[in-house]
Amino acid sequence: MRMRARRTVLVLAAALVLSSCGDDEVYVPPGPDASPPPTAPAPRQRLVLPESIGIRYRLADSGADPALARAMRDDVSGAVGVSGAYDPPSTERDAGRLTVEGVYGKVDWLVGTFGTFLEYVEERALKRDGRRIVAEKTISADAGEMIKCWLLKADRPGPDKVSVWRSCAWVDAGTVAQVTWGVRPSEASDVDEWDLEAFAHETADVREAVQQNAEPAREQP
């Protein structure tokens, strides 16, 4: 009796489903491996340059970076390049500036985009003032983002002879950018002992300050 009742319920359910289809429609029930309904994509980010980052750094210079946008346009749809420099407090001038440079738009392939970006900024740093990477480490490489940090050195005339910078870069679905800090001359000799993962935590604070949700960007010429 219980089996007959169950069959009756199933027949009625099938009849209701079929009756909801039009004359030319055929209902095909989803199989066990059917894909879930699509979800709305997470909002992409854009890069902004606020007047300050934290309580220490104040914006000193900012603007568009069309050269970087052109270099990344094959990897980032609607690429818009920006760059900015932030000064530390006057009592910490020897710490050097904090700089932010990057591109926002639509990133379809994280690995390829990150590779193009890192190659470009490394070559640009070398051409600008002879900066070369002396240590690097990949901090994160999952499906949603990639983060990498490194140290740069450049030979300089004068009593200190060597200048050092620390830098971290990231890529996600909407941005690819790097943050660079100058290193005090008094600390430059200790760079071999520095923890590159610690830079990533500092970068996270800067990243939070310079990213905002955005609509797709207009590509720069």
Side-chain angles (χ1 to χ4, degrees):
M1 187 69 178
R2 195 175 290 173
M3 290 294 294
R4 291 182 61 188
R6 184 180 177 188
R7 284 179 190 162
T8 301
V9 171
L10 291 173
V11 170
L12 288 172
L16 287 171
V17 170
L18 289 171
S19 67
S20 66
C21 298
D23 295 337
D24 298 329
E25 295 177 338
V26 176
Y27 172 75
V28 179
D33 298 327
S35 300
T39 57
R44 292 202 305 274
Q45 305 286 308
R46 70 185 181 101
L47 295 173
V48 298
L49 297 170
E51 289 299 317
S52 62
I53 294 180
I55 61 174
R56 295 182 59 211
Y57 290 96
R58 301 294 174 183
L59 185 64
D61 186 25
S62 66
D65 194 336
L68 180 54
R70 285 193 298 271
M72 298 301 301
R73 63 172 38 171
D74 290 340
D75 297 270
V76 181
S77 301
V80 176
V82 298
S83 62
Y86 290 80
D87 282 336
S90 57
T91 55
E92 301 179 27
R93 290 297 184 190
D94 63 338
R97 283 182 161 185
L98 181 157
T99 61
V100 179
E101 53 189 334
V103 168
Y104 65 92
K106 183 177 183 293
V107 178
D108 293 314
W109 185 33
L110 266 64
V111 175
T113 299
F114 208 32
T116 302
F117 179 76
L118 294 178
E119 181 179 353
Y120 178 84
V121 296
E122 180 180 356
E123 182 178 348
R124 183 154 77 169
L126 184 62
K127 288 181 177 178
R128 276 178 176 172
D129 47 18
R131 300 183 194 186
R132 63 191 186 280
I133 294 176
V134 295
E136 57 186 334
K137 183 174 184 178
T138 298
I139 307 299
S140 173
D142 60 28
E145 67 174 16
M146 301 179 70
I147 302 171
K148 191 170 186 176
C149 296
W150 59 92
L151 293 172
L152 303 104
K153 287 184 179 181
D155 295 329
R156 295 292 180 84
D160 299 317
K161 300 200 181 213
V162 174
S163 294
V164 179
W165 297 264
R166 50 198 177 107
S167 184
C168 285
W170 74 83
V171 62
D172 55 32
T175 63
V176 54
Q178 76 165 350
V179 179
T180 303
W181 297 263
V183 176
R184 290 184 176 92
S186 60
E187 299 174 346
S189 61
D190 300 327
V191 294
D192 293 337
E193 301 176 4
W194 285 6
D195 182 2
L196 292 177
E197 291 192 25
F199 299 166
H201 294 295
E202 294 183 63
T203 300
D205 294 334
V206 178
R207 182 178 175 182
E208 184 176 353
V210 301
Q211 279 188 319
Q212 289 183 355
N213 289 346
E215 296 298 324
R218 177 181 297 179
E219 186 171 334
Q220 289 180 349

